[in-house]
Amino acid sequence: MSEFQLLATAASGLEAIVGKEIKRLGYTPQVENGKVFFKGDKLAIARSNLWLRTADRVKIVVGEFKATTFDELFEKTKALPWENFLPLDAVFPVSGKSVKSTLFSVPDCQAITKKAIVSRLQEKYRRSGRLLETGALFKIEVALLKDTVTITIDTSGEGLHKRGYRTTQGDAPLKETMAAALVLLTSWHPDRPFYDPVCGSGTIPIEAALIGQNIAPGFNRSFASEKWDWMPEKIFKEAREEAESLANYDQPLDILGADIDHKMVERAKQNASEAGLGDLISFKQMQVSDFTTEKEYGVVVANPPYGERLEDEASIRELYREMGETYAKLPTWSIYVITSYEAFEEVYGKKATKKRKLYNGYLRTDLYQYWGPRKPRVKE
């Protein structure tokens, strides 16, 4: 096939950012809830997997249709051109979900979809016996929403947040995709200071460095579709060569990550080193209130503890109060804090310029944005 209907899945609240990323790659995005559709060829599959910082996965849409009976689901699934995607020895587990649909039993939908695909492949490959499933992996999902069935194949394999650099992490790690989104939602440019006061295992500073030097986030890992027999080796080779040519390794960066826990600081250093960014990011053991700087027009991005447990509330309020007092002394800086704590502005001591609703996993949070003044342009 020369062109595929592709689908980038995303956490709720990040769809527009994924859409912008897809547009930047040269494709036309169609943004929906938790999804961004776009059309592209085999190279588009490779490029989107390598470059999308904020998407969860890239999938091929094999078909979309209405179904209210199991017979309908079977026949319409069987009618799809599965032989164009799955070789005779394909391993193809089927997962599923059903929301507000007549066919609400997910195990039944999965079993019928699998049966229909097997039936189609047996006919096309002229095999009467069982399919062996000893080859490459093609993860299939059957998703029903209001009786509309969408059947996809996952091209990514492990989720795109698995960049390959995180060797160690804390108790409540932020996904790399969300960390990248937090950086992209700021006013930061690589020529400005960047600071994460509660860096944990270093994910936000590392993602900022990847963005700052325009390094493709998937540069250090492999993808399921690389092993498919119809995906020529040269496709991913070409995509990686392009990514290498676009990286700006000479871009100087001023990025600092800090944490009160010295163990987390060591983990962050280890992860940055694994990402090949050890020399670009500074990490320091430090309390929030210890931060002072003469630098101007910097950006703070913080993912502090949210105080989900009642016994933590007093310490959380104290941390947020310290943030407010400390950053009030940085009049030219822009501050971005993500938390689910609803009284954040009151404790921080200042109303945000703007709030943006985001889901960190299944937890509803707000990104509180305090915009500093624009950096003056240098007259030539």
Side-chain angles (χ1 to χ4, degrees):
M1 292 178 78
S2 57
E3 190 174 64
F4 302 88
Q5 173 69 45
L6 300 172
L7 160 62
T9 59
S12 184
L14 300 188
E15 305 92 342
I17 307 171
V18 174
K20 279 183 186 172
E21 288 195 88
I22 287 167
K23 198 171 184 182
R24 211 174 292 128
L25 285 173
Y27 310 111
T28 305
Q30 182 188 330
V31 179
E32 294 183 14
N33 276 345
K35 305 171 186 172
V36 185
F37 293 94
F38 63 107
K39 286 189 165 68
D41 57 8
K42 289 173 185 173
L43 186 59
I45 292 172
R47 291 179 74 230
S48 56
N49 272 298
L50 275 172
W51 279 105
L52 292 182
R53 299 182 191 279
T54 59
D56 290 334
R57 294 175 182 279
V58 177
K59 300 180 175 187
I60 296 168
V61 180
V62 182
E64 193 169 82
F65 52 82
K66 288 274 186 186
T68 54
T69 67
F70 288 130
D71 281 346
E72 214 175 353
L73 176 62
F74 180 90
E75 293 302 336
K76 288 182 176 179
T77 299
K78 188 181 174 183
L80 297 172
W82 289 103
E83 64 281 2
N84 292 345
F85 302 98
L86 306 182
L88 179 59
D89 64 350
V91 177
F92 56 104
V94 179
S95 62
K97 57 187 177 186
S98 178
V99 179
K100 296 177 183 173
S101 295
T102 309
L103 303 177
F104 58 84
S105 170
V106 173
D108 286 336
C109 290
Q110 289 172 200
I112 284 157
T113 300
K114 176 88 177 184
K115 191 176 174 185
I117 298 168
V118 168
S119 182
R120 170 86 182 200
L121 294 180
Q122 283 174 329
E123 282 181 18
K124 292 296 173 180
Y125 290 124
R126 297 178 183 176
R127 292 294 170 102
S128 56
R130 188 170 150 266
L131 300 179
L132 292 176
E133 296 197 42
T134 54
L137 178 65
F138 295 77
K139 280 187 186 170
I140 293 167
E141 182 184 66
V142 54
L144 290 86
L145 175 62
K146 295 177 183 174
D147 295 332
T148 296
V149 181
T150 306
I151 305 184
T152 57
I153 303 174
D154 174 25
T155 72
S156 302
E158 285 197 295
L160 293 181
H161 71 283
K162 295 276 183 80
R163 313 285 206 225
Y165 64 71
R166 192 143 76 177
T167 56
T168 178
Q169 59 192 39
D171 294 334
L174 188 72
K175 268 190 176 180
E176 292 86 336
T177 42
M178 176 60 83
L182 293 179
V183 178
L184 293 172
L185 283 167
T186 73
S187 56
W188 183 66
H189 289 277
D191 62 346
R192 296 168 66 180
F194 184 96
Y195 173 50
D196 177 355
V198 280
C199 71
S201 57
T203 310
I204 292 174
I206 291 168
E207 290 299 320
L210 292 173
I211 290 165
Q213 290 200 335
N214 199 37
I215 297 169
F219 78 103
N220 205 20
R221 56 161 287 178
S222 59
F223 304 94
S225 45
E226 288 186 76
K227 298 190 176 84
W228 296 352
D229 66 345
W230 53 262
M231 179 66 76
E233 203 175 299
K234 66 177 184 182
I235 295 287
F236 270 89
K237 187 170 184 284
E238 185 183 333
R240 286 196 171 92
E241 284 171 357
E242 178 198 40
E244 184 66 25
S245 70
L246 292 171
N248 183 9
Y249 296 118
D250 296 327
Q251 172 66 51
L253 299 172
D254 181 359
I255 298 175
L256 171 64
D259 202 280
I260 196 167
D261 183 347
H262 72 93
K263 288 181 185 168
M264 294 312 298
V265 171
E266 288 308 311
R267 287 177 184 177
K269 286 179 181 175
Q270 202 177 327
N271 289 337
S273 179
E274 190 66 29
L277 304 166
D279 297 336
L280 286 173
I281 309 169
S282 301
F283 290 103
K284 194 173 179 181
Q285 183 188 3
M286 190 165 61
Q287 292 185 84
V288 165
S289 56
D290 289 340
F291 182 69
T292 57
T293 183
E294 297 297 314
K295 295 170 184 174
E296 293 189 305
Y297 302 103
V299 169
V300 171
V301 177
N303 174 44
Y306 300 165
E308 290 300 301
R309 295 181 304 182
L310 285 175
E311 63 265 30
D312 295 336
E313 186 168 359
S315 61
I316 294 303
R317 288 178 70 88
E318 178 60 18
L319 175 65
Y320 293 169
R321 187 191 61 74
E322 279 181 13
M323 283 183 163
E325 286 184 1
T326 304
Y327 304 142
K329 298 167 191 165
L330 306 173
T332 66
W333 284 56
S334 296
I335 317 295
Y336 299 80
V337 182
I338 185 172
T339 178
S340 64
Y341 190 68
E342 291 180 6
F344 174 78
E345 288 167 305
E346 175 198 321
V347 182
Y348 184 84
K350 188 179 178 184
K351 195 163 173 53
T353 314
K354 186 181 179 183
K355 274 194 331 185
R356 182 177 182 132
K357 183 171 76 173
L358 295 172
Y359 279 86
N360 184 4
Y362 293 106
L363 191 62
R364 184 204 182 281
T365 60
D366 285 294
L367 178 64
Y368 294 88
Q369 306 173 42
Y370 297 87
W371 299 346
R374 279 178 181 267
K375 185 180 179 181
R377 288 192 175 182
V378 179
K379 290 180 182 176
E380 293 181 11

